[in-house]
Amino acid sequence: EPEVTQTPSHQVTQMGQEVILRCVPISNHLYFYWYRQILGQKVEFLVSFYNNEISEKSEIFDDQFSVERPDGSNFTLKIRSTKLEDSAMYFCASTPPWGSHNEQYFGPGTRLTVT
Amino acid sequence: DAKTTQPPSMDCAEGRAANLPCNHSTISGNEYVYWYRQIHSQGPQYIIHGLKNNETNEMASLIITEDRKSSTLILPHATLRDTAVYYCIARTQGGSEKLVFGKGTKLTVNP
């Protein structure tokens, strides 16, 4: 069964450094998302992406964050200058085309640790 | 999206049915009830969704009351691997619609 994959599984970085989290959504999906979950807290929406542009973003998704679909298969989340409070699990998700169930398929996540 | 209310935790014996309730008294006519679960630190997993009719798939059954103000997710024969946090989410069925997760119900299946 096709699945969303994410790399790396764990990323450790120093405060102020840039990180890029990578996701490969399911191949025929059209809508893409990033969520994050700080340890012990709720899963929070960051951004949705469709047709090569951002559809919606949350208050968390400030100028330090950006997303890109550089080559038609990868979907990346970049954090330009990481802060301690960016430490969290980051989940990528994708949704099939309109007309299907619209359930979101999540990847296994990337644990980001900012020191 | 309508707010949902779930008990923070529940226990269930292995092999028994697990019945997870959800209140969504302010749900609007075009909002579906979606259920996801998250097994420890993994990505959330879609379980089932419905509008007003009861639904069943290979994972679970969803019973929605006639007034649509509440629903129950039923895992008919819970196993230890069903131990997870279960989220009930009310949302419209749009392709770009984000999911708004609450705290969910932590279901513990005991041997």
Side-chain angles (χ1 to χ4, degrees), chain A residues 33 35 37 56 102 104 106, chain B residues 36 38 95 97-99:
Chain A
Y33 313 81
Y35 292 82
Q37 186 175 33
E56 186 178 356
N102 298 128
Q104 293 184 17
F106 284 78
Chain B
Y36 281 76
Q38 187 177 25
E97 290 290 328
K98 64 180 182 286
L99 291 167

Side-chain angles (χ1 to χ4, degrees), chain A residues 12-97:
Chain A
V12 180
T13 190
Q14 288 191 324
M15 194 168 53
Q17 295 296 304
E18 175 183 286
V19 293
I20 298 176
L21 309 183
R22 291 184 165 78
C23 168
V24 179
I26 297 173
S27 64
N28 67 336
H29 287 192
L30 296 181
Y31 301 91
F32 313 109
Y33 313 81
W34 283 100
Y35 292 82
R36 79 170 186 192
Q37 186 175 33
I38 295 171
L39 186 63
Q41 298 188 23
K42 295 186 282 189
V43 178
E44 301 173 290
F45 167 77
L46 291 178
V47 65
S48 59
F49 190 85
Y50 170 69
N51 202 25
N52 282 321
E53 60 183 31
I54 291 174
S55 304
E56 186 178 356
K57 59 184 180 180
S58 71
E59 291 178 354
I60 303 166
F61 194 88
D62 62 21
D63 292 344
Q64 293 300 312
F65 291 87
S66 63
V67 289
E68 196 177 33
R69 190 158 158 79
D71 57 13
S73 62
N74 290 286
F75 180 51
T76 62
L77 175 70
K78 183 193 291 187
I79 309 176
R80 265 181 265 285
S81 178
T82 50
K83 308 183 190 69
L84 294 176
E85 54 265 37
D86 293 327
S87 294
M89 283 290 289
Y90 287 81
F91 296 108
C92 171
S94 65
T95 297

Side-chain angles (χ1 to χ4, degrees), chain B residues 41-56:
Chain B
S41 293
Q42 296 180 23
Q45 178 189 23
Y46 166 81
I47 301 173
I48 198 167
H49 76 286
L51 183 62
K52 50 186 175 182
N53 297 322
N54 298 337
E55 302 288 344
T56 295

